[in-house]
Amino acid sequence: MKFIEEPTNCPCCDYKLEKIKDQLFCRNTACSAQCLKKIEHFAKVLKIKGLGPKTIEKLQLAEITELFYLDEAEVYNTLGEKIGIKLLEEIEKAKRADVATVLESFSIPLVGGTAAAKLAKVINTPADITVDKCKEAGLGEKVTENIITWVNTEYKELEEFLPFTYTKSSVATGDKVCITGKLKNFKKKADAEELLLAAGYVLTDSVTKDTKYLVDENNSTSSKRSTAEKYGITIITDLNDLLKDKDNK
């Protein structure tokens, strides 16, 4: 029986790999493969049209900040004037992104749209992020650890080169929704939360008198369920019904 030898170094940058729970990770923040994926994710979240993998390769981008200092003539020569003009316009629009979108775009581990939206309610710029602010936003311990590490390392190095205006995210004023237990139609709770946020609902981690709906698809006996019954709060047994109801209004 032939065994495959486990690699010890990153095949891209030759940095020593770190093994965590049978998975290998390259921790070199300057690894070109990681940088490429980060730029792709950045462009996708900020909705920079025309900045796909091929364009990133053509422009020879190695860091996110390089996007904001592209030479106009070089862009036109590389992509053609028509495409180049559109791309530069898209990049200019991205500078006006709200703080939640900017945070989500930086590929911070465990910080997706939901965590970024929660944090954006208590800060104005990434420089405002502290452990206390993360706690106020209701973020978990691991998420907090990851984002504080990012602020103290990567963001600190990039801050002076980032031209964002950090528009304040619009504050949701819709009905408050709380989720308890596992969801049947969503593998990740975060996916469901993003849909609820997009539909205008306000997410809460606990049930109070102000909560409009409790999503409980498993008919649980949780304290959230008991509190919801006590206050006469509407209990939703299928989250899709709540989302469909919003679409029909």
Side-chain angles (χ1 to χ4, degrees), residues 6 31 84 133 148 155 174:
E6 185 177 279
C31 176
K133 286 295 183 181
I148 292 296
Y155 179 70

mmCIF file of all heavy atoms in Angstrom, residues 6 31 84 133 148 155 174:
data_model
loop_
_atom_site.group_PDB
_atom_site.id
_atom_site.type_symbol
_atom_site.label_atom_id
_atom_site.label_comp_id
_atom_site.label_asym_id
_atom_site.label_seq_id
_atom_site.Cartn_x
_atom_site.Cartn_y
_atom_site.Cartn_z
ATOM 1 N N GLU A 6 3.117 13.446 3.856
ATOM 2 C CA GLU A 6 2.505 14.710 4.265
ATOM 3 C C GLU A 6 3.473 15.867 4.048
ATOM 4 O O GLU A 6 4.618 15.818 4.502
ATOM 5 C CB GLU A 6 2.111 14.635 5.749
ATOM 6 C CG GLU A 6 1.363 15.841 6.250
ATOM 7 C CD GLU A 6 0.939 15.674 7.696
ATOM 8 O OE1 GLU A 6 -0.094 15.005 7.941
ATOM 9 O OE2 GLU A 6 1.654 16.208 8.580
ATOM 10 N N CYS A 31 2.003 35.042 1.586
ATOM 11 C CA CYS A 31 1.904 33.952 0.609
ATOM 12 C C CYS A 31 1.099 34.449 -0.599
ATOM 13 O O CYS A 31 -0.029 34.915 -0.455
ATOM 14 C CB CYS A 31 1.216 32.751 1.245
ATOM 15 S SG CYS A 31 0.924 31.372 0.105
ATOM 16 N N GLY A 84 -10.966 49.507 -18.849
ATOM 17 C CA GLY A 84 -10.195 50.167 -17.799
ATOM 18 C C GLY A 84 -10.965 51.276 -17.121
ATOM 19 O O GLY A 84 -10.933 51.415 -15.892
ATOM 20 N N LYS A 133 -15.921 46.612 22.549
ATOM 21 C CA LYS A 133 -16.850 46.856 21.449
ATOM 22 C C LYS A 133 -17.354 45.531 20.872
ATOM 23 O O LYS A 133 -18.528 45.411 20.490
ATOM 24 C CB LYS A 133 -16.170 47.679 20.349
ATOM 25 C CG LYS A 133 -15.981 49.145 20.700
ATOM 26 C CD LYS A 133 -17.314 49.866 20.854
ATOM 27 C CE LYS A 133 -17.136 51.347 21.130
ATOM 28 N NZ LYS A 133 -18.444 52.039 21.313
ATOM 29 N N ILE A 148 -9.604 41.087 16.710
ATOM 30 C CA ILE A 148 -8.636 41.903 17.446
ATOM 31 C C ILE A 148 -7.228 41.650 16.911
ATOM 32 O O ILE A 148 -6.424 42.577 16.756
ATOM 33 C CB ILE A 148 -8.699 41.603 18.959
ATOM 34 C CG1 ILE A 148 -10.040 42.096 19.541
ATOM 35 C CG2 ILE A 148 -7.527 42.252 19.679
ATOM 36 C CD1 ILE A 148 -10.244 43.595 19.463
ATOM 37 N N TYR A 155 -4.502 45.200 9.793
ATOM 38 C CA TYR A 155 -5.134 46.507 9.632
ATOM 39 C C TYR A 155 -4.176 47.639 9.998
ATOM 40 O O TYR A 155 -4.145 48.686 9.343
ATOM 41 C CB TYR A 155 -6.403 46.615 10.475
ATOM 42 C CG TYR A 155 -7.070 47.965 10.355
ATOM 43 C CD1 TYR A 155 -7.692 48.349 9.168
ATOM 44 C CD2 TYR A 155 -7.045 48.875 11.408
ATOM 45 C CE1 TYR A 155 -8.280 49.603 9.034
ATOM 46 C CE2 TYR A 155 -7.638 50.124 11.292
ATOM 47 C CZ TYR A 155 -8.251 50.478 10.104
ATOM 48 O OH TYR A 155 -8.819 51.724 9.979
ATOM 49 N N GLY A 174 -36.429 47.123 11.539
ATOM 50 C CA GLY A 174 -37.512 46.171 11.347
ATOM 51 C C GLY A 174 -37.823 45.372 12.600
ATOM 52 O O GLY A 174 -37.313 45.643 13.693
#
